[in-house]
């Protein structure tokens, strides 16, 4: 690290749990963020400011006026631009020393195998079950840790699925497919602006802890935040030995 980097990251380096070693691990890491909306905005900005060396950001959408109430990587001046480009500009303005790559399409299983394979950690900031399950499959196959977040109305949730660990459940163990879960979207249901900030920032917290590495990972826990009722709940989650996705991998 040069003098500038030592200053930029000095408040991390002061933390004995991170230090120069941890900051160098963060600089050498590659984070994949799927979704540059409400959750992806704070997650991407904090990973950029914290110095994650390579960040790949995927999103098919363009910035719309209705996004600006909560998607803080974008602004009035970037309405009409691809979200990945709008976010990339903000990330480069915060930290020009990192490499931000963009994928402007809805990523499917074909894309994800390569993208996840190149990443040290994956942040699921997407807004639909098909993408969530496709990301989970790719993360289980590549044994890449997955930091999953979701937010709708006043309710948020966060979980880490770390397939490198024998005992860690995957997303599919907890949220099965084909259970006729009605897909509810922000466009229909609404979402409280700072809720996505809380959950997206927590995704950055867990991702940086995995990369440094430091502390205890949230793997094996599901955090549920009820903003309206001012309640946090932590639920233990377990691997399903019969899981169709991770069962075959772990045997
Ligand atoms: Zn599983």
């Amino acid at each position: 690290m040069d003098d500038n980097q030592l200053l930029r990251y000095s408040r991390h380096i002061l933390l004995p749990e991170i230090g120069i070693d941890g900051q160098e691990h963060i600089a050498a890491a590659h984070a994949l963020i799927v979704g540059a909306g409400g959750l992806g905005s704070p997650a991407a900005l904090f990973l950029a400011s914290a110095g994650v060396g390579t960040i790949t950001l995927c999103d098919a959408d363009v910035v719309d006026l209705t996004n600006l109430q909560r998607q803080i990587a974008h602004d009035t001046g970037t309405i009409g631009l691809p979200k990945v480009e709008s976010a990339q500009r903000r990330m480069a303005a915060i930290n020009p020393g990192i490499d931000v790559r963009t994928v402007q399409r809805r990523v499917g299983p074909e894309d994800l195998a390569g993208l996840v394979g190149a990443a040290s950690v994956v942040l699921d900031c997407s807004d639909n079950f098909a993408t969530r399950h496709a990301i989970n499959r790719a993360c289980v196959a590549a044994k890449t840790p997955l930091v999953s977040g979701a937010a709708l109305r006043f309710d948020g949730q966060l979980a880490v699925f770390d397939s490198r660990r024998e005992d860690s459940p995957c997303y599919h163990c907890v949220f099965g497919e084909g259970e006729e879960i009605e897909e509810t979207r922000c466009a229909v249901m609404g979402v409280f602006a700072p809720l996505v900030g809380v959950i997206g920032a927590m995704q950055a917290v867990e991702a940086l802890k995995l990369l440094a590495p430091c502390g205890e990972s949230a793997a094996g826990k599901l955090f549920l935040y009820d903003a309206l009722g001012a309640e946090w709940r932590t639920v233990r989650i377990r691997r399903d030995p019969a899981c169709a996705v991770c069962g075959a991998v772990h045997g």
Side-chain angles (χ1 to χ4, degrees), residues 55-66:
I55 301 172
T56 298
L57 194 55
C58 311
D59 201 303
D61 293 340
V62 298
V63 180
D64 179 87
L65 180 58
T66 61

Side-chain angles (χ1 to χ4, degrees), residues 30-36 39-40 42-47 52 55-58 112 116 119-126 131-132 135 139 144-149 158-159 199-208 210-211:
H30 183 167
L32 173 67
I33 305 176
V34 182
L39 300 170
L45 297 184
F46 273 122
L47 293 192
V52 174
I55 301 172
T56 298
L57 194 55
C58 311
L112 284 165
V116 169
S120 344
V121 67
V122 177
L123 287 79
D124 180 357
C125 300
S126 72
T131 303
R132 289 180 183 283
I135 294 169
C139 286
T144 305
L146 167 62
V147 183
S148 172
L158 174 110
I199 303 297
M202 279 187 74
Q203 289 184 268
V205 165
E206 290 302 320
L208 288 167
L210 286 163
L211 296 177

Side-chain angles (χ1 to χ4, degrees), residues 77-184:
T78 63
I79 290 174
L81 278 186
K83 285 186 182 177
V84 288
E85 194 183 324
S86 167
Q88 184 187 38
R89 285 187 189 184
R90 180 71 67 82
M91 292 156 80
I94 293 170
N95 191 347
I98 59 164
D99 179 15
V100 180
R101 302 170 186 180
T102 61
V103 178
Q104 199 208 331
R105 59 179 177 273
R106 182 164 167 160
V107 290
E110 325 72 44
D111 290 309
L112 284 165
L115 289 167
V116 169
S120 344
V121 67
V122 177
L123 287 79
D124 180 357
C125 300
S126 72
D127 63 354
N128 67 86
F129 288 113
T131 303
R132 289 180 183 283
H133 282 291
I135 294 169
N136 178 60
R137 278 198 176 80
C139 286
V140 169
K143 290 196 187 295
T144 305
L146 167 62
V147 183
S148 172
L152 192 70
R153 291 183 289 202
F154 289 91
D155 299 312
Q157 65 184 43
L158 174 110
V160 173
F161 302 104
D162 191 343
S163 311
R164 298 170 304 179
R165 292 167 49 163
E166 282 280 311
D167 59 337
S168 174
C170 80
Y171 182 83
H172 190 276
C173 291
V174 184
F175 303 98
E177 272 171 297
E179 290 176 5
E180 301 298 317
I181 310 163
E182 201 176 324
E183 195 150 85
T184 45

